Amino acid sequence: MAQRPPRCAAVDPFKPHGLFLEEERSGLGHVVDSAVILLTNKECPWRCLMCDLWRQTVAETVPLGAIPRQIKYALAQLSSRPAQIKLYNSGSFFDPAAIPFADYPAIADAVSFADHIVVEAHPRLVGEKVSRFRDLLSGSLEVAMGLETVHPEILPRLNKKFDLAHFAQATDFLRKEGIEVRAFVLVKTPFMSEAEGLEWAVKSAEFAFACGATVVSIIPTRPGNGALDRLMETGEFTPPRLATLERALELALNLRQGRVFADTWALEPFSSCSACLEKRRQRLHTINLTQRIQPAVDCPACGGL
Ligand code: SF4
Ligand SMILES: [Zn+2]
């Protein structure tokens, strides 16, 4: 925590700190509109090594009613009603200090038009509350959990405070409750070489699918939270190359166990070639939407590295 840079400018407990509209391929194979609402709430109690989500949080639990108000505020900015809504709260939706339980009915009511709702949670907060929230929804529910990596020595060093059995149990519980599971998998955590970054991203996707996840979202590890910048100074972390993210997506898709998406936000730190970055981002986006590997971008400037 002592490595942290300052928090972002003051966030408003009655407004989400972000909103955007994206397209995503649904479990039924359709490309649907998906609104991502970044809810403002109390900082997550975990302290994962690579996390920078605390930057947009507040120190105290937000007042009762604030979260439904944030959702309504976000939806009022949109000109249409998306089929899918992601309620991402920089922590765990089922953490009562982040989202008061008493707000669940009003939250469910605010998103009652949506076919599918995605929330995020730490595996150790998955339990009966998830089923209670599901029962209030008109659409289906999906819980996204940060698996990050299945590397046996590195997962504990990320300070996630769960082990693979916790992830497997949480996934099993959710699937038995008819709730879908998305796993966030990191490409090249700290303490990995480029080759290990690729190898363990694919192994982690394989594990998530074997547990019952229906979606794996592959995310390149980003510096900027202080701790990772410190590890860059000591040579224990370097961000992955864009080519490693591309290969991880291709290999995880080739498992043919479920949908795989690559994170295409802010790819600049992973590219050393401005000539091909936009084309490669577009290619990843097309793979995300089609779930089919596309021809590689041929770049004379960098050779696709
Ligand atoms: S559980 Fe998620 S939000 Fe909380 S510190 Fe870890 S990575 Fe960040
Ligand atoms: Zn290039």
Side-chain angles (χ1 to χ4, degrees), residues 271-277 280 297-305:
S271 163
S272 52
C273 180
S274 56
C276 62
L277 175 59
R280 289 166 78 179
V297 172
D298 185 16
C299 179
C302 72
L305 292 174

Side-chain angles (χ1 to χ4, degrees), residues 10-20 36-41 56 62 66-77 86-90:
V11 282
D12 182 340
F14 293 101
K15 285 189 186 152
H17 66 84
L19 163 72
F20 48 95
V36 186
I37 303 175
L38 302 178
L39 298 168
T40 302
N41 62 188
Q56 312 275 1
V62 297
I67 299 290
R69 228 167 107 176
Q70 290 185 36
I71 296 168
K72 285 180 198 152
Y73 177 92
L75 295 173
Q77 318 296 310
K86 294 178 182 170
L87 299 174
Y88 284 173
N89 67 305
S90 306

Side-chain angles (χ1 to χ4, degrees), residues 10-276:
V11 282
D12 182 340
F14 293 101
K15 285 189 186 152
H17 66 84
L19 163 72
F20 48 95
L21 202 56
E22 59 182 15
E23 289 179 311
E24 193 170 278
R25 192 177 177 91
S26 73
L28 296 173
H30 309 131
V31 173
V32 299
D33 284 340
S34 176
V36 186
I37 303 175
L38 302 178
L39 298 168
T40 302
N41 62 188
K42 189 179 182 200
E43 182 182 338
C44 175
W46 278 277
R47 300 280 181 266
C48 302
L49 179 68
M50 66 294 158
C51 184
D52 63 357
L53 298 172
W54 50 268
R55 298 190 75 177
Q56 312 275 1
T57 58
V58 290
E60 303 297 331
T61 299
V62 297
L64 204 64
I67 299 290
R69 228 167 107 176
Q70 290 185 36
I71 296 168
K72 285 180 198 152
Y73 177 92
L75 295 173
Q77 318 296 310
L78 300 175
S79 54
S80 62
R81 297 199 145 188
Q84 174 172 287
I85 305 217
K86 294 178 182 170
L87 299 174
Y88 284 173
N89 67 305
S90 306
S92 294
F93 188 91
F94 304 102
D95 171 3
I99 314 259
F101 185 59
D103 273 342
Y104 285 13
I107 293 170
D109 187 54
V111 297
S112 60
F113 62 86
D115 297 334
H116 192 62
I117 308 297
V118 188
V119 299
E120 53 190 356
H122 189 282
R124 291 176 73 172
L125 289 179
V126 165
E128 192 238 349
K129 270 209 201 89
V130 190
S131 314
R132 302 270 287 276
F133 183 59
R134 174 211 54 199
D135 290 344
L136 295 166
L137 292 172
S138 311
S140 50
L141 178 62
E142 176 174 326
V143 174
M145 297 187 288
L147 171 62
E148 324 301 4
T149 184
V150 294
H151 191 295
E153 279 105 45
I154 295 178
L155 178 61
R157 294 183 79 185
L158 299 183
N159 205 31
K160 294 289 300 182
K161 301 275 170 52
F162 72 78
D163 58 27
L164 298 185
H166 288 124
F167 183 89
Q169 281 156 15
T171 303
D172 189 53
F173 172 87
L174 292 166
R175 295 313 311 274
K176 284 186 175 142
E177 290 290 303
I179 297 163
E180 290 188 40
V181 174
R182 173 175 310 224
F184 294 128
V185 163
L186 289 174
V187 175
K188 200 177 177 202
T189 66
F191 322 115
M192 283 187 191
S193 67
E194 201 71 30
E196 288 168 332
L198 174 61
E199 178 192 342
W200 286 97
V202 180
K203 280 185 176 159
S204 304
E206 207 168 2
F207 175 83
F209 283 134
C211 289
T214 44
V215 179
V216 167
S217 189
I218 295 188
I219 300 168
T221 308
R222 294 188 164 84
N225 75 344
L228 290 201
D229 306 81
R230 181 71 182 275
L231 290 173
M232 282 179 78
E233 286 168 22
T234 60
E236 289 167 286
F237 171 63
T238 48
R241 292 196 203 114
L242 184 52
T244 308
L245 173 67
E246 293 169 330
R247 195 73 191 124
L249 173 63
E250 292 166 8
L251 293 176
L253 263 178
N254 279 343
L255 297 171
R256 306 200 179 284
Q257 296 297 310
R259 283 168 291 153
V260 185
F261 303 130
D263 178 14
T264 58
W265 302 342
L267 292 178
E268 289 74 11
F270 315 109
S271 163
S272 52
C273 180
S274 56
C276 62

